[in-house]
Amino acid sequence: MNVVIIGCGRVGARIAMSLDQAGHHVSVVDIRSAALRRLPPEFGGKAVIGTGIDEDVLKFAGIEDADAFFAVTNGDNTNLMAAQLAQKRFNTRQVAARVYDPVRAESYRRMGIYTVCPTTTIASLMLDSLSTS
C-alpha cells in the first residue's frame, strides 16, 4: 500500500514507522525539517519538506498513487484542507484527519472524511477511568 502522511510529530512518525516496518511505501511531509528527524535512520520511506496543502508537494510525495492519506499536523485547518485535497482532487481511497475541535470533526465526518478527535477520545478515556477505578 502507498501511504502519504502530513505531519511528522509523534503521531505521524509513529504511523510512518509502523507502516514502513509492515512493508508499505510511506511518504511523510512536514513543513519543519527538524520534525522529520523523528524518523529513525532505518525508515525506508520518503521524507519531504513542505506544506501538506500544496498540490506540488503532495504530488512529489506520491499522492497521485497513494492508497491512503493521513493528516496529523497540529492544525485542524491544515488537516481538513489537506484531507479534502487528497479525497476530492486526488481521489485517494482512504483519508483520515486528526481534528481537535469536536464540532468540526463531526461536521467533516458527515461530509465523508474520516476524522479522529483526540479531545473527545481522551475525555472519554479519562471518564472511563473513573468508573473502573
Side-chain angles (χ1 to χ4, degrees):
M1 179 180 292
N2 297 318
V3 181
V4 174
I5 300 166
I6 67 159
C8 195
R10 289 180 182 92
V11 173
R14 187 173 183 96
I15 293 169
M17 279 308 301
S18 294
L19 291 171
D20 184 58
Q21 289 172 348
H24 299 285
H25 301 280
V26 181
S27 293
V28 182
V29 177
D30 201 293
I31 198 163
R32 299 165 295 130
S33 61
L36 295 169
R37 284 189 230 132
R38 284 194 172 93
L39 298 169
E42 63 268 20
F43 177 68
K46 182 191 275 188
V48 178
I49 299 170
T51 179
I53 55 174
D54 183 309
E55 288 188 29
D56 291 332
V57 170
L58 291 173
K59 286 178 183 176
F60 184 73
I63 190 74
E64 293 169 308
D65 297 319
D67 303 296
F69 180 85
F70 294 104
V72 290
T73 73
N74 283 328
D76 285 0
N77 290 338
T78 299
N79 291 342
L80 290 168
M81 185 176 213
Q84 287 180 308
L85 267 174
Q87 188 179 60
K88 306 291 184 198
R89 169 76 175 87
F90 295 106
N91 299 312
T92 307
R93 288 185 292 135
Q94 298 179 56
V95 175
R98 173 172 59 188
V99 182
Y100 289 101
D101 180 344
V103 174
R104 293 176 76 197
E106 180 58 32
S107 295
Y108 280 86
R109 188 176 302 120
R110 277 189 255 125
M111 293 168 42
I113 293 175
Y114 184 86
T115 58
V116 175
C117 181
T119 306
T120 56
T121 301
I122 293 169
S124 294
L125 291 171
M126 297 299 275
L127 291 170
D128 287 349
S129 75
L130 290 176
S131 62
T132 58
S133 299

